[in-house]
C-alpha cells in the first residue's frame, strides 16, 4: 500500500521480470533461437522459463523500459526523497510477481501493482551467450490494464507531482495514459514521455500526437524523433527541423520549460529546450567506452532518462540533469549486474 506521502514521480507502464542466464549455443539451437534478436514467446517456447529456473543460475531483475528509468530516478533522489516514486501496472499471482514486488521494494520504489488472478506476470528470458544475447518476452498481465483498474487507482494520479510513461503503454491503455497526462498538465505538473522505439512511434503516431499538448519533456533517440516529425510534417526532415516541429506541438497549455532529449547513438545527446520563449538546440558529447568494457547496452537509454528526471526533481537544471543521466548510463553499460554508482548532489 502506498502511504500518504508526497509522490515525486508516478510511472505508469508494463512491469516485467527479466530472467537472465548464461546459456550455450546448444540450448539456443534446442529452441531454434537466433543470436541478438527478440523472439516473442510461442507455445513451443513456453517451457524455456521453467528450464532456465531449474537448470541454470538465474538472475531475476525487474525490467521494462519505464521501470529501468524509475529505478535510476529513485537512486538519484533517495537521500532527499526516500521511497517517493510509484510504479503502476499489472502483474500475475505467481512467483515472478512476488519476486517483482520484493525487488521493487528493495529499490525503494512504492508499488501500486494490480494482481491479476488468471494471468501470469510479464516475463522475459534474457539468454546470454558470450557477447551475444537473445530475448524471449511473454507479456501476460503486463499489457492488461483495463479502464476499471485505471479508475480504481486514479487517486495516485491525483497525488503525484510528476507523471511519466512511454509509447509501450499506448498499446496497453492509451485512454488511461492520455487521461493522466491531461490531468497532470491541467494542474501545471510536468509530464514526461519516452518515445520508446521507432516502430511504436510509427504504429501509434496518431495517439502520440494527441498527448503532446500535455507533455513537457520528451525523451528518445534521433531515429524516433525523426519518425515522429515525419508524421507531423508529412515528409522526412532533418533533425533540427524535427525538433522544432515537435516542440511547437508539445506542452501547448504551459509553453515553459519544455524540452526534447534525443540520444544520437554513442556519439552525443541533443538537448532542445524552450525557455523564455526562446528555442535552443545544444549537443553534449558522450564519453567513449572501450568495446571490451561494455557489458550491456540494454536499458542504457532508460537509465539516462532516470538520471535526468532525478536531477530535475532534486533541483538541477536541464543540462546538469542530462550530464547526471549520462554519468549513470556510462556506469550502467559497464556493469554486469545493473548496479548504479553513488550520486553526490552537493
Amino acid at each position: 500500500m502506498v502511504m500518504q506521502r508526497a509522490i515525486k514521480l508516478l510511472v505508469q507502464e508494463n512491469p516485467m521480470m527479466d530472467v537472465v542466464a548464461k546459456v550455450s549455443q546448444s540450448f539456443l539451437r534446442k529452441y531454434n533461437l537466433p543470436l541478438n534478436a527478440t523472439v516473442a514467446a510461442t507455445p513451443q517456447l513456453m517451457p524455456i522459463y521453467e528450464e532456465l529456473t531449474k537448470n541454470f543460475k538465474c538472475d531475476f531483475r525487474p525490467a521494462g523500459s519505464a521501470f529501468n528509468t524509475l529505478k535510476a530516478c529513485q537512486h538519484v533522489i533517495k537521500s532527499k526523497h526516500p521511497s517517493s516514486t510509484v510504479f503502476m501496472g499489472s502483474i500475475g499471482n505467481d512467483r515472478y510477481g512476488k519476486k517483482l514486488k520484493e525487488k521493487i521494494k528493495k529499490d525503494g520504489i512504492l508499488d501500486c501493482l494490480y494482481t491479476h488472478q488468471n494471468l501470469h506476470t510479464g516475463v522475459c528470458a534474457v539468454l546470454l551467450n558470450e557477447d551475444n544475447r537473445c530475448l524471449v518476452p511473454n507479456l501476460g498481465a503486463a499489457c492488461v490494464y483495463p479502464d476499471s483498474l485505471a479508475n480504481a487507482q486514479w487517486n495516485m494520479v491525483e497525488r503525484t507531482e510528476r507523471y511519466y510513461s512511454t509509447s509501450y503503454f499506448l498499446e496497453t491503455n492509451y485512454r488511461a495514459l492520455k487521461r493522466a497526462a491531461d490531468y497532470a498538465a491541467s494542474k501545471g505538473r510536468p509530464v514526461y514521455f519516452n518515445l520508446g522505439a521507432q516502430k511504436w512511434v510509427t504504429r501509434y503516431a496518431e495517439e502520440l500526437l494527441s498527448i503532446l499538448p500535455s507533455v513537457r519533456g520528451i525523451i528518445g533517440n534521433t531515429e524516433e524523433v525523426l519518425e515522429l516529425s515525419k508524421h507531423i510534417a508529412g515528409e522526412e526532415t532533418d533533425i533540427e527541423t524535427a525538433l522544432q516541429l515537435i516542440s511547437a506541438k508539445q506542452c501547448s497549455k504551459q509553453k515553459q520549460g519544455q524540452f526534447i532529449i534525443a540520444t544520437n547513438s554513442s556519439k552525443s545527446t541533443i538537448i532542445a529546450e524552450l525557455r523564455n520563449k526562446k528555442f535552443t538546440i545544444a549537443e553534449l558529447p558522450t564519453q567513449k567506452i572501450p568495446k571490451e568494457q561494455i557489458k550491456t547496452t540494454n536499458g542504457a537509454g532508460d537509465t539516462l532518462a532516470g538520471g535526468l528526471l532525478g536531477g530535475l526533481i532534486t533541483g538541477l537544471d536541464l543540462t546538469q540533469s542530462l550530464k547526471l543521466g549520462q554519468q549513470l548510463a556510462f556506469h550502467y553499460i559497464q556493469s554486469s549486474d545493473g548496479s548504479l554508482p553513488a550520486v553526490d548532489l552537493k
Side-chain angles (χ1 to χ4, degrees), residues 22 39 55 107 113 117 138 149 165 175 198 205 210 213 217 252-253 273 301 340 343 346:
K22 293 181 180 180
V39 182
N55 301 330
D107 287 324
L113 299 174
Q117 298 302 317
N138 187 10
L149 180 53
S165 193
R175 292 181 302 277
Q198 184 176 349
S210 76
S252 60
K253 298 174 183 177
E273 184 178 12
L340 298 171
V343 175
K346 296 180 181 178

Side-chain angles (χ1 to χ4, degrees), residues 13-16 89-92 116 119-123 138-146 149 168-174 200 204:
E13 211 222 30
N14 308 328
M16 298 283 291
S90 302
I91 60 174
H116 285 280
L119 296 171
H120 64 79
T121 300
V123 62
N138 187 10
L139 297 178
C143 57
V144 180
Y145 191 89
L149 180 53
Y168 302 116
F169 199 70
L170 289 171
E171 182 173 53
T172 302
N173 193 327
Y174 157 71
W200 252 253
Y204 296 103

Side-chain angles (χ1 to χ4, degrees), residues 5-25:
R5 67 176 71 180
I7 300 175
K8 294 299 178 181
L9 181 67
L10 172 67
V11 168
Q12 194 173 38
E13 211 222 30
N14 308 328
M16 298 283 291
M17 175 63 84
D18 278 356
V19 182
V20 186
K22 293 181 180 180
V23 300
S24 63
Q25 284 278 9

